[in-house]
């Protein structure tokens, strides 16, 4: 029995799907299947029931799962002890980040971190704020980076930067009615928004609440799953959106999008970690690195 076999077993058990588990671990589906089959044959047990194309934990697998997870946790703890003793920053970090951060804020910072700590292997998954929160809670990610609110009280939040939001429309969009100066009538706009659970959608929900308007009364024309899709739809004249300046600054500079004057609060980019999980040296190094980079940005 090897640690790799245990990791594969736990991943398959938690996802109930061989291919999805293999994708998460960065291995082929056949390699994952072979590892499970070898584990079962070595010990003469059946860990999963095969039901059509799906798999589910057998009774033996359900009994084995907490033991397998405990072994992996102890192995990780042992690695951390040696890492702390040697003060050598190595290992791997799994990062879950919301779309704005992952696409526009994080890449350069990870590149400079790799230059400083080349022995640390990094992997990034992308989702909306709610999805990132879930991966940190269930341990799939070591930590997350979000711009929206988090709900769980067992997460720690640490601010790493500040984001500026903009209300934008296509350059050709008609003039927008105002209820007062610098106060566009958001009920008259046709909105292009992200899906539920995204940070930018929360901003529009907060704005409607502040204006005393039900979110359901806004003219939501289109709901899209990515910032790039939203930006392109707005550029095409489909409607208005509230979005990070990082996403649209080039389009605004080139004139394909027009900013609309409105008072929007800035929002924090935050790192979230699980309160009950000890941070490795690699995690602490990346946290310090991102915080330092945020300070450099603020000073410029």
């Amino acid at each position: 029995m090897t640690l790799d076999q245990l990791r594969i077993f736990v991943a398959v058990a938690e996802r109930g799907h061989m291919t999805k588990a293999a994708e998460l671990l960065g291995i082929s589906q056949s390699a994952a299947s072979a590892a499970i089959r070898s584990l079962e044959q070595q010990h003469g047990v059946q860990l999963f029931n095969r039901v059509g194309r799906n798999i589910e934990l057998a009774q033996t697998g359900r009994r084995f799962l907490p033991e397998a997870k405990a072994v992996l946790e102890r192995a990780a703890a042992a690695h951390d002890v040696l890492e702390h003793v040697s003060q050598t920053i190595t290992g791997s970090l799994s990062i879950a980040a919301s779309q704005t951060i992952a696409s526009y804020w994080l890449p350069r910072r990870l590149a400079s971190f790799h230059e400083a700590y080349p022995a640390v292997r990094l992997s990034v998954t992308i989702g909306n704020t709610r999805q990132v929160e879930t991966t940190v809670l269930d341990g799939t990610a070591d930590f997350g980076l979000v711009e929206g609110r988090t709900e769980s009280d067992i997460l720690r939040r640490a601010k790493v930067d500040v984001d500026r939001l903009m209300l934008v429309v296509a350059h050709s969009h008609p003039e927008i009615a105002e209820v007062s100066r610098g106060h566009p009538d958001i009920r008259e706009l046709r909105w292009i928004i992200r899906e539920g659970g995204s940070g930018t959608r929360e901003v529009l929900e907060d704005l409607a609440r502040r204006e005393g308007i039900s979110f359901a009364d806004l003219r939501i024309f289109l709901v899209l799953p990515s910032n790039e899709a939203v930006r392109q739809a707005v550029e095409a004249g489909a409607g208005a959106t509230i979005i990070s300046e990082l996403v649209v600054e080039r389009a605004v500079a080139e004139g394909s999008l027009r900013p609309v004057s409105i008072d929007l609060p800035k929002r924090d980019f935050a790192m979230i970690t699980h309160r009950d999980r000890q941070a490795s040296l690699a995690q602490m190094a990346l946290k310090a690195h991102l915080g330092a980079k945020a300070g450099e940005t603020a000073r410029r």
Side-chain angles (χ1 to χ4, degrees), residues 184-193 201 203-209 211-222 242:
D185 187 350
I186 64 174
R187 287 171 297 190
E188 295 302 313
L189 288 170
R190 189 168 60 174
W191 289 97
I192 315 297
I193 64 172
R201 178 171 176 145
V203 174
L204 180 57
E205 292 170 346
D206 290 344
L207 176 61
R209 194 177 302 115
E211 299 287 326
I213 300 168
S214 168
F215 187 75
D217 290 336
L218 295 179
R219 297 170 60 201
I220 307 298
F221 168 65
L222 193 56
I242 291 174

Side-chain angles (χ1 to χ4, degrees), residues 110-119 289:
L110 291 187
S112 61
F113 178 81
H114 178 68
E115 289 182 5
Y117 303 99
H289 183 81

Side-chain angles (χ1 to χ4, degrees), residues 93-97 101-102 105-114 116-117 122 124 143-146 158-162 269-273 282-300:
L93 288 176
S94 57
I95 306 160
I101 293 173
W105 185 88
L106 189 58
R108 290 183 181 180
R109 289 164 173 82
L110 291 187
S112 61
F113 178 81
H114 178 68
Y117 303 99
L122 302 168
V124 179
F143 61 88
L145 291 161
V146 297
K159 176 180 170 182
V160 293
D161 213 339
V162 175
F269 284 167
M271 178 184 293
I272 57 173
T273 54
Q283 287 174 264
M284 290 188 285
L286 182 55
K287 182 176 180 179
H289 183 81
L290 295 180
K293 288 295 179 184
E296 291 173 11
T297 302
R299 288 191 293 271
R300 282 200 289 269

Side-chain angles (χ1 to χ4, degrees), residues 121-133:
R121 186 172 65 254
L122 302 168
S123 63
V124 179
T125 57
I126 302 175
N128 62 38
T129 295
R130 203 63 56 236
Q131 291 165 337
V132 171
E133 179 178 12

Side-chain angles (χ1 to χ4, degrees), residues 163-168 182 186 191 203-204 206-208 210-211 241-243 260-267:
D163 185 33
R164 180 171 173 252
L165 293 152
M166 302 178 73
L167 169 55
V168 294
I186 64 174
W191 289 97
V203 174
L204 180 57
D206 290 344
L207 176 61
R210 196 167 71 235
E211 299 287 326
T241 197
I242 291 174
I243 199 166
V260 177
S261 179
I262 187 173
D263 180 24
L264 292 172
K266 293 180 179 180
R267 63 179 180 178

Side-chain angles (χ1 to χ4, degrees), residues 29-44:
Q29 187 270 339
S30 59
S33 296
I36 296 298
R37 187 165 56 252
S38 175
L39 190 59
E40 290 177 324
Q41 290 173 351
Q42 286 170 15
H43 300 280

